Amino acid sequence: MNSTQPDYWEQAVSDLKKKDRILKRIIPLHSEKKLLSSESPFITLANSIISQQISTKTASIIWGKFVKIFGQSPSPKDIIHNKREELMSIGLPKRKVDYLYDLAIHFHEKKINPDKWIDMDDESVISELSSIKGIGRWTSEMFLIFNLRRPDVMPLDDTGLIRAISLHYFSGEPVSRFEAREVSVAWRPWRTVASWYLWCSIE
């Protein structure tokens, strides 16, 4: 686990506090928190698949059970050689178990090349990840944020982020993707950082 902030973080915080009065208020309240990142692309993606469409609390519980089976650093081979029933027994639906197997196969058979992702632009990484079952735009964007630590990702499909934007910018009123995108224009090129602090604000 990488616990150091990305090199751009301090500059991003400074710029965002100047650009956005709401972030100027929110950021100091969470200054002690850090964007933790997994150094393993496989583990990051497995965690993201498990976390899809469930609460953070539920995802944490299931991930804890997952780690009890495979340890802190499971390999693709570990997943492939495990019985699907055991994965389903920790609370994973069959659909997500299938996704985890497909993810493991892609890594094990080298159908994808994670070593190249560091040099690829965001959309190219998203395109390659989409070849894996169960990995859509949201999961890819979480990977860009929490593994590759890209500075300007705006995950418009994230319900937590939309809820935070609604709370802080629209007095709790429903917010469309278009409205959220419009709010985020001022955050460029640091939308990852803005999103992260907004997530912190609703924890």
Side-chain angles (χ1 to χ4, degrees), residues 103-115:
L103 173 69
I105 288 168
H106 271 76
F107 273 81
H108 184 64
E109 296 182 357
K110 302 188 185 306
K111 294 181 178 181
I112 52 177
N113 189 347
D115 292 338

Side-chain angles (χ1 to χ4, degrees), residues 12-79:
V13 165
S14 176
D15 289 351
L16 288 168
K17 287 165 71 175
K18 291 174 184 175
K19 291 179 177 181
D20 189 300
R21 61 182 179 81
I22 291 172
L23 289 173
K24 183 178 180 180
R25 172 176 55 83
I26 290 173
I27 289 173
L29 299 176
H30 306 281
S31 58
E32 79 287 354
K33 296 180 181 178
K34 293 184 177 181
L35 173 64
L36 300 178
S37 68
S38 168
E39 296 179 2
S40 163
F42 176 72
I43 293 173
T44 302
L45 290 167
N47 198 343
S48 292
I49 287 173
I50 287 172
S51 301
Q52 288 172 356
Q53 299 178 326
I54 57 177
S55 70
T56 302
K57 182 179 180 180
T58 301
S60 179
I61 291 170
I62 294 176
W63 181 254
K65 293 178 180 179
F66 182 85
V67 167
K68 281 186 178 180
I69 296 174
F70 297 107
Q72 293 290 341
S73 301
S75 69
K77 194 173 181 179
D78 291 333
I79 304 295

Side-chain angles (χ1 to χ4, degrees), residues 9 64 78 81 84 100 113-114 122 129 151 159 172 178 203:
W9 201 267
D78 291 333
H81 291 165
R84 293 172 185 255
L100 287 171
N113 189 347
D122 291 354
L129 287 173
T159 55
F178 174 80
E203 287 181 347

Side-chain angles (χ1 to χ4, degrees), residues 4 17 20 39 75-76 137 144 156 160 165 169 176 182 190:
T4 60
K17 287 165 71 175
D20 189 300
E39 296 179 2
S75 69
R137 189 167 189 91
L144 290 172
L156 289 168
I165 291 173
Y169 293 86
S176 68
E182 287 296 296
W190 312 119

